[in-house]
């Protein structure tokens, strides 16, 4: 029987410094056949391992509609992420997955989509945004509200122009405080959401960011008329084994790694999960 914990050898083929503490790694399996058969949905995650440091879960941040490599954006915050940040192009890593349920892309068809992200929370949403843009006819208006503490903390800056130009797509960038030469919005994400006022009619909101941002954004979404099942989020931070074995990621009766990481707000309330 195959060992489910055995990672496949992979290699870093590109590294991009997104912010002072976030890098995006483009990874490729050594075995091309494994790379070709690696199929995933936006919102799914992988376990990436660094020799001598261990492994950690990372969402896949590129869209499955753009195959060829796997991209993970990594914020330097612990042993494994620190280890990854020290690696460069050509260095080996281990990869296993994909795991988790991913976003309900079929149920989202025909809906207006409101993406709300803070900091590196844009990583799983980027996969879904580019997926929806590549299948543009399947989705209605796309609104993206993306915030960070400062302009240097914004991730995926290269893609904003493409998103802005896409059909029926509106991008709202915000930083916490006014900066020199900053011409976009200023203020925390909940305040910007209140200003943008996306319609709740036939809409789904997809939110990912720091818990404090989600906590204060949720009442605004409710005020705008979004109900629990129409608010989707992804809980990626609380996993270890990724395959429902270690028992580290349970909320109520569910495992984040197997039943999630994507949940709607009604499900989270039922499980007693709070931000
Ligand atoms: S991460 Fe081990 S059970 Fe979910």
């Amino acid at each position: 029987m195959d060992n489910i914990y055995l990672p496949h050898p992979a290699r870093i083929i590109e590294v991009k410094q997104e912010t002072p503490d976030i890098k995006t790694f483009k990874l490729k399996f050594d075995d091309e056949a494994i790379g070709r058969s690696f199929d995933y949905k936006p919102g799914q995650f992988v376990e990436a391992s660094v020799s001598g440091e261990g492994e950690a879960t990372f969402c896949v941040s590129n869209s499955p509609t753009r195959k060829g490599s796997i991209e993970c954006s990594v914020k330097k915050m612990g042993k494994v992420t620190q280890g990854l940040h020290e690696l460069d192009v050509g260095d080996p890593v281990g990869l296993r997955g994909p795991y988790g349920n991913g976003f309900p892309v079929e149920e989202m068809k025909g809906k207006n989509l409101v993406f709300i992200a803070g900091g590196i929370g844009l990583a799983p949403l980027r996969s879904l945004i580019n997926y929806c843009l590549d299948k543009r006819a399947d989705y209605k208006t796309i609104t993206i509200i993306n915030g960070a503490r400062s302009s240097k903390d914004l991730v995926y800056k290269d893609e904003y122009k493409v998103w802005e130009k896409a059909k029926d797509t509106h991008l709202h960038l915000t930083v916490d405080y006014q900066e020199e030469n900053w011409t976009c919005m200023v203020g925390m994400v909940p305040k910007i959401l209140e200003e943008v006022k996306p319609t709740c009619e036939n809409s789904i909101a997809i939110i990912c960011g720091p818990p404090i941002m989600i906590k204060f954004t949720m009442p605004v979404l409710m005020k705008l008329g979004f109900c629990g099942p129409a608010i989707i989020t992804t809980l990626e931070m609380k996993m270890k084994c990724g395959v429902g074995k270690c028992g580290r990621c349970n909320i109520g009766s569910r495992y984040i790694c197997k039943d999630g990481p994507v949940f709607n707000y009604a499900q989270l309330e039922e499980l007693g999960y709070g931000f």
Side-chain angles (χ1 to χ4, degrees), residues 45 47 57 238-250 255-258:
F45 64 93
E47 290 272 359
T57 56
K238 305 196 169 181
M239 292 179 280
K240 191 75 192 157
C241 73
V243 288
K245 301 284 182 200
C246 71
R248 296 261 198 114
C249 71
N250 73 301
Y255 283 128
I256 294 177
C257 63
K258 292 204 86 167

Side-chain angles (χ1 to χ4, degrees), residues 41-69:
K41 270 169 75 177
Q44 284 196 293
F45 64 93
V46 290
E47 290 272 359
S49 45
V50 181
S51 177
E53 306 293 357
E55 66 177 356
T57 56
F58 301 99
C59 71
V60 183
S61 67
N62 59 323
S63 167
T65 47
R66 302 173 189 189
K67 284 190 99 152
S69 61

Side-chain angles (χ1 to χ4, degrees), residues 105 107-116 128-129 132-133 136 138-144 168 170 198-199 202-206 226:
V105 287
E107 287 165 39
M108 289 176 174
K109 279 186 178 169
K111 306 267 187 196
N112 300 307
L113 303 178
V114 182
F115 293 93
I116 304 165
L128 182 59
I129 290 167
C132 295
L133 291 179
R136 195 66 196 84
D138 287 344
Y139 304 95
K140 294 216 159 4
T141 302
I142 292 179
T143 304
I144 304 165
D168 294 331
H170 310 285
T199 177
N202 191 33
S203 301
I204 292 187
I206 309 104
F226 285 82

